[in-house]
């Protein structure tokens, strides 16, 4: 009979929801020491797009304004635990943050000393001068063993003196300690001649 009917519906096609990025990074070396170059490299990804910005937080102030880019190198002058964070943002404006604690180990001091005169005699004053160094310039104490008893209680500080009242081979030691508790000991033998 030729009858017809029409139906119209409006279909709204929306934008699919964005999948946020995933933030992560590698630390090399994993157990760094002071004054060693440490590399940070992003391994972040975005499942449905690309990452467009990288922002690093290095100094603990909470602001991601210390470096931009997917990688960087940093040198830590002192030992301790440093929290490093990376914030990445994708092409849809979503962001993600990843933080890691980096434990930086202390470099111990290096103990060394010289003495004068080089060939001392019995009952002559011998001067000892420390040549100790510390990579972070943080020497805390210098202790001397001048009588060979393995007890560092004969003198303190960068210099010492000793009068040997008998001839023979004498052993002198210097122990250096830095502010982080690192220690190093130097030992030298000198021959004391008879008068």
């Amino acid at each position: 009979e030729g009858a017809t009917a029409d139906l119209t519906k409006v279909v709204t096609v929306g934008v699919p929801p964005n999948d946020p990025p995933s933030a992560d990074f590698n630390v090399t070396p994993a157990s760094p020491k002071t004054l060693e170059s440490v590399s940070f490299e992003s391994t972040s990804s975005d499942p449905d797009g690309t990452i467009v910005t990288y922002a690093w937080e290095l100094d603990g102030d909470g602001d991601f304004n210390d470096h931009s880019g997917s990688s960087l190198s940093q040198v830590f002058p002192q030992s301790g635990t440093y929290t490093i964070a990376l914030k990445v943002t994708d092409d849809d404006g979503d962001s993600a943050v990843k933080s890691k604690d980096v434990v930086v180990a202390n470099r111990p001091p290096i103990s060394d000393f010289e003495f004068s005169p080089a060939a001392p005699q019995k009952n002559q004053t011998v001067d000892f001068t420390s040549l100790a160094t510390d990579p972070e310039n943080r020497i805390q104490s210098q202790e001397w063993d001048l009588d060979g008893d393995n007890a560092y209680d004969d003198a303190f500080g960068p210099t010492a003196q000793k009068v040997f009242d008998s001839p023979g081979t004498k052993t002198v030691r210097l122990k250096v300690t830095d502010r982080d508790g690192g220690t190093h000991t130097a030992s030298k033998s000198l021959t004391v001649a008879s008068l």
Side-chain angles (χ1 to χ4, degrees):
E1 298 175 358
T4 62
D6 293 319
L7 175 66
T8 300
K9 288 188 176 183
V10 176
V11 179
T12 301
V13 179
V15 177
N18 177 54
D19 289 327
S22 176
D24 203 358
F25 58 93
N26 290 331
V27 181
T28 307
S31 301
K33 294 183 179 180
T34 55
L35 305 178
E36 182 177 18
S37 180
V38 184
S39 298
F40 301 93
E41 184 170 356
S42 172
T43 58
S44 306
S45 61
D46 184 38
D48 60 357
T50 58
I51 294 174
V52 294
T53 63
Y54 302 83
W56 297 84
E57 205 283 291
L58 305 174
D59 55 13
D61 65 358
D63 294 327
F64 289 85
N65 59 0
D66 299 320
H67 185 77
S68 61
S70 61
S71 63
L72 69 117
S73 295
Q74 179 84 352
V75 174
F76 299 92
Q78 296 182 10
S79 62
T81 300
Y82 297 84
T83 300
I84 308 299
L86 169 64
K87 180 180 181 180
V88 296
T89 304
D90 66 12
D91 50 355
D92 290 304
D94 282 345
S95 60
V97 174
K98 178 69 174 183
S99 64
K100 292 183 179 182
D101 287 338
V102 178
V103 179
V104 179
N106 175 53
R107 289 181 183 269
I110 300 172
S111 180
D112 192 14
F113 63 92
E114 61 184 7
F115 57 89
S116 178
Q121 295 183 339
K122 174 185 172 182
N123 295 327
Q124 183 179 20
T125 299
V126 182
D127 295 308
F128 298 91
T129 303
S130 171
L131 303 174
T133 59
D134 183 64
E136 301 93 3
N137 293 318
R138 292 166 57 87
I139 290 179
Q140 180 73 27
S141 65
Q142 301 187 66
E143 304 164 285
W144 298 87
D145 170 23
L146 302 174
D147 54 14
D149 64 354
N150 288 310
Y152 295 89
D153 55 3
D154 300 318
F156 304 93
T159 61
Q161 289 185 328
K162 173 72 174 178
V163 176
F164 297 96
D165 57 6
S166 63
T169 300
K170 312 295 181 180
T171 300
V172 173
R173 299 177 181 87
L174 170 64
K175 182 170 73 172
V176 180
T177 305
D178 66 16
R179 294 181 188 177
D180 296 301
T183 63
H184 187 256
T185 302
S187 176
K188 291 187 178 181
S189 296
L190 62 153
T191 300
V192 178
S194 299
L195 293 175

